[in-house]
């Protein structure tokens, strides 16, 4: 089935249970889908733009109200939408990081954080993880001291993922922030896997910035995200334009250079707004999501030799497993090699595991129903069974 | 009618002829609308992402092919999609402009170009327009010389709008570029009002960069745009990442820092791709668009006292008029003041003129049918007539 111009109509989420690690929290709600249709045109949200002519002041559709609600929900003072979490990193890095400045990341930082540091001219300094693949406040303190010894000054910014993309491990941002603040280092909380997934309380964490991803975790179209700040930091990263034309003497009001003026419009913004009530509700039921994850992971671990590489028990639904000593054994002799595994999943209406992977792979059960969790669990056990893999106990 | 969360279903383009100056070229095609529904989820385009894992390499949906077609269509060597034209300005400014560097803009430059210069630390130097509100190569040469005298060096970048947002005037980018290149100044062609509207040939213009806006002129959702370059400039603005983790020694392959990695995903990108065949076709019929504009403008000018502030005859459908000596005369005594005019238009199913404006205002007839042009012409004349305004000859 084709839409247009050689583009097939995608039906992945209509036909499959999708456990893709990055897609789970971004599936549009039905309300978002309706909003996307009604606000498909980019400037659709600008019909009622009035002075002072900035996106976050528009009251119809209720964009201004959404900004207030979003900041309150995160327990932060101010928020802007951005074209993806990475554009939030970029705005903050550009504000605080100058050429040669050390910036605190972690050995599990996402590549977009590195790119934001690179673009600003900074020098990335990774807090090493422990043997359990967790970032601790102690390791952060040691790294800051190391940076101080080596470069004569503390890092100018720390970007810390609450839940990392590799293991889905939850790191103690609150304790790390307390350490960073002892050195006056502003902390950006990367909530790409948490904002819209589980409750996030910025003031309680003590962070200076909260970044979230619309298309990863807020059931919003791409590219979309949010950047929330404290009042103090808002005056820095959301400073208003000071530039002036040398001939016309034009100035540009309250537009914000780091935001490049207005940010999200049309489908991306209204999609995020339309999903917001359901997103607010769903974070309150994260325990049910963890229970679904447990059901699936228990089934995987019941196949002899399967190891979980993520912290265990799980604090997040994004999970990394090692099936080298279970499903991969079959792949070594199977005529389809590793593709037997993804093939068997696909036959059962399951997608999102990297095609052909049977050694180390990730899955994310976020957003599935209990019934689907049980179905997934049965499917993994059945695939093991039909390939003669032993089950434990 | 409500979608969700207090958001009314927008029906502007279903119920009205919309002559909003910035909305005309961004209305989604039916194909784009279908694609937006099928690819609403952000990571929908990533289902078949394979090594080297970058958006513009994905072949299903045919994103790689789209990039090739788009570059060829603009007669440029390389292209990337970006979250709005402004993010193209930002990437280029960030590559070439350092603190204190002069940058050549014009007295009609869009505010987002100023913000890009501001964010990069540059100093804007506007080429003044002549009395006809046109930017000429002579004026560009004089300004470059002025900058050289005053700052001891030529501007490091020129950003020139082919068609400006204020008057919709068409400026001689080819001649201006020839002058700029004599001083080795790279030229960014801002095609926010041209790419997707009329034929654009980058190599023929001689420019280094072509920026276009998806949601303004390519019938694509927001935020979306394109940044095309010559091969020479591609190695600069699309340089790949060089950053490395100090602990993990991670590198990040062929990701591009100025693009912040992958750029547009889901609805924005696939919407642009789905509209592309129609966009390519429509630019070939720009003469018909100008004829529709002429029909409407002639009718407005037939109302005694109306003046056209844009260049005349028109080279673009975005047009600025002064009705201070025609429709505004009624507003001075009408009980609804200026709102009588927008009210009368709305009664006739016409929207997009700033509510209450009767002095200086803009409209854009792009994309309307001949029948709608004739209807608009009749409507303006009828509103003049029912308010007793005299018609010329």
């Amino acid at each position: 089935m084709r839409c247009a111009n050689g583009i097939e109509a995608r039906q992945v989420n209509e036909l499959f249970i999708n456990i893709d690690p990055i897609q789970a929290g971004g599936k549009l709600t039905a309300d978002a889908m309706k909003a996307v249709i009604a606000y498909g045109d980019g400037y659709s949200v600008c019909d009622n733009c009035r002075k002072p002519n900035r996106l976050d002041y528009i009251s119809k559709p209720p964009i201004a109200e959404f900004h207030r609600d979003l900041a309150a929900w995160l327990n932060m003072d101010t928020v802007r939408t951005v074209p993806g979490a990475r554009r939030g990193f970029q705005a903050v890095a550009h504000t605080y990081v100058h050429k040669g400045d050390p910036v605190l990341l972690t050995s599990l930082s996402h590549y977009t954080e590195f790119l934001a540091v690179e673009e600003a001219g900074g020098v990335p300094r990774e807090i090493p993880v422990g043997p359990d693949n967790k970032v601790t406040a102690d390791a952060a303190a040691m790294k800051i001291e190391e940076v101080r010894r080596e470069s004569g000054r503390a890092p100018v910014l720390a970007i810390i993922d609450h839940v990392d993309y590799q293991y889905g491990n939850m790191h103690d941002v609150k304790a790390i922030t307390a350490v960073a603040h002892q050195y006056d280092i502003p902390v950006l909380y990367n909530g790409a896997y948490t904002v819209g997934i589980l409750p996030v309380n910025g003031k309680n964490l003590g962070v200076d910035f909260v970044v979230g991803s619309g298309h990863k975790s807020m059931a919003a179209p791409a590219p979309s995200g949010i950047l929330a700040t404290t009042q103090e930091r808002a005056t820095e990263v959301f400073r208003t334009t000071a530039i002036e034309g040398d001939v016309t003497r034009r100035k540009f009001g309250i537009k914000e250079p780091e935001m490049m003026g207005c940010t999200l419009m049309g489908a991306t913004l209204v999609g995020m707004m339309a999903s917001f009530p359901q997103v607010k509700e769903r974070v309150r039921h994260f325990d049910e999501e963890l229970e679904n994850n447990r059901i699936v992971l228990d089934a995987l671990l019941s196949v002899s030799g399967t190891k979980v590489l993520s912290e265990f028990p799980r604090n997040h639904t994004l999970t990394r497993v090692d099936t080298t000593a279970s499903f991969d054994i079959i792949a070594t002799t199977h005529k389809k090699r590793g593709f037997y595994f993804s093939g068997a999943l696909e036959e059962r209406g399951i997608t999102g595991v990297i095609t052909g992977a049977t050694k180390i792979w990730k899955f994310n059960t976020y957003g599935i129903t209990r019934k689907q969790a049980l179905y997934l669990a049965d499917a993994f056990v059945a695939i093991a069974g039909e390939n003669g893999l032993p089950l434990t106990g």
Side-chain angles (χ1 to χ4, degrees), chain A:
Chain A
M1 195 165 78
R2 308 221 132 183
C3 298
N5 197 16
I7 304 162
E8 276 183 47
R10 181 183 189 247
Q11 300 180 84
V12 168
N13 292 326
E14 289 77 4
L15 302 179
F16 294 91
I17 300 174
N18 186 356
I19 54 173
D20 187 291
I22 61 173
Q23 295 190 12
K27 292 172 203 160
L28 297 195
T29 60
D31 280 340
M33 196 65 89
K34 283 191 273 181
V36 160
I37 295 168
Y39 286 82
D41 299 346
Y43 287 110
S44 53
V45 296
C46 309
D47 289 335
N48 300 291
C49 181
R50 305 278 178 264
K51 286 190 176 163
N53 297 108
R54 203 174 69 196
L55 183 72
D56 53 308
Y57 280 77
I58 292 172
S59 62
K60 189 185 165 193
I63 299 170
E65 185 185 339
F66 171 67
H67 279 74
R68 285 192 295 273
D69 290 350
L70 188 55
W73 176 65
L74 294 167
N75 198 14
M76 295 293 281
D77 296 320
T78 311
V79 72
R80 301 284 183 272
T81 58
V82 285
R86 60 194 69 190
R87 296 294 183 170
F89 308 150
Q90 183 186 33
V92 173
H94 194 268
T95 300
Y96 297 96
V97 181
H98 300 100
K99 197 165 168 55
D101 284 345
V103 179
L104 208 57
L105 301 177
T106 82
S107 3
L108 297 174
S109 288
H110 194 254
Y111 85 89
T112 52
E113 298 168 9
F114 277 90
L115 293 189
V117 172
E118 181 172 8
E119 219 227 6
V123 177
R125 302 302 307 263
E126 297 170 297
I127 307 169
V129 291
D132 56 352
N133 288 308
K134 301 258 279 190
V135 184
T136 66
D138 282 349
M142 285 176 63
K143 188 73 187 190
I144 295 169
E145 283 299 336
E146 179 189 317
V147 171
R148 272 161 51 101
R149 276 196 310 277
E150 291 176 13
S151 40
R153 58 198 164 132
V156 298
L157 174 68
I159 305 180
I160 310 293
D161 300 11
H162 192 190
V163 168
D164 70 84
Y165 75 101
Q166 291 193 40
Y167 296 93
N169 287 353
M170 187 170 282
H171 309 282
D172 191 349
V173 177
K174 187 172 182 168
I176 295 167
T177 299
V179 167
H181 280 177
Q182 287 172 19
Y183 296 86
D184 294 324
I185 304 169
V187 176
L188 186 156
Y189 167 101
N190 178 4
Y193 283 99
T194 56
V195 172
I197 298 295
L198 50 87
V200 173
N201 184 325
K203 291 281 172 67
N204 182 44
L205 293 161
V207 296
D208 300 86
F209 305 98
V210 171
V211 167
S213 169
H215 51 270
K216 192 167 263 155
S217 298
M218 297 175 75
S224 68
I226 61 101
L227 168 59
T229 75
T230 59
Q231 197 52 54
E232 177 197 353
R233 299 301 178 183
T235 60
E236 297 166 351
V237 75
F238 301 141
R239 67 194 179 280
T240 53
T241 174
I243 204 167
E244 186 178 342
D246 67 326
V247 170
T248 58
R249 293 291 156 203
R250 282 183 290 164
K251 294 182 178 191
F252 305 95
I254 60 163
K255 293 296 203 303
E256 297 161 343
E258 293 298 352
M259 296 294 103
M260 292 299 295
C262 299
T263 53
L264 297 188
M265 295 174 286
T268 44
L269 176 59
V270 179
M272 185 187 282
M273 289 166 57
S275 281
F276 190 51
Q278 282 170 261
V279 163
K280 276 193 291 191
E281 181 60 25
R282 76 186 192 183
V283 302
R284 299 175 58 239
H285 304 282
F286 190 61
D287 54 338
E288 295 167 29
E289 300 287 347
L290 286 179
E291 179 59 15
N292 288 339
N293 179 267
R294 192 193 60 75
I295 290 167
V296 176
L297 184 55
D298 280 356
L300 276 165
L301 292 174
S302 77
V303 182
S304 289
T306 297
K307 288 196 279 279
V308 55
L309 300 179
S310 302
E311 64 178 337
F312 188 81
R314 306 289 306 117
N315 289 309
H316 197 272
T317 54
L318 169 64
T319 302
R320 185 175 180 127
V321 290
D322 181 348
T323 54
T324 309
S326 58
F327 292 105
D328 188 57
I329 293 171
I330 306 301
T332 55
T333 56
H334 200 286
K335 66 178 194 292
K336 292 183 182 171
R337 292 172 296 140
F339 297 95
Y340 90 92
F341 186 59
S342 39
L345 288 170
E346 189 167 334
E347 275 168 27
R348 287 170 170 81
I350 299 163
T351 192
V353 175
I354 289 178
T355 309
T358 45
K359 292 188 170 75
I360 291 173
W361 50 279
K362 296 188 284 188
F363 68 93
N364 194 342
T365 53
Y366 193 81
I368 63 171
T369 63
R370 176 62 48 88
K371 202 169 157 187
Q372 288 174 324
L374 294 167
Y375 178 84
L376 281 168
D378 287 347
F380 284 122
V381 169
I383 294 169
E386 72 191 20
N387 286 284
L389 287 172
L391 302 181
T392 57

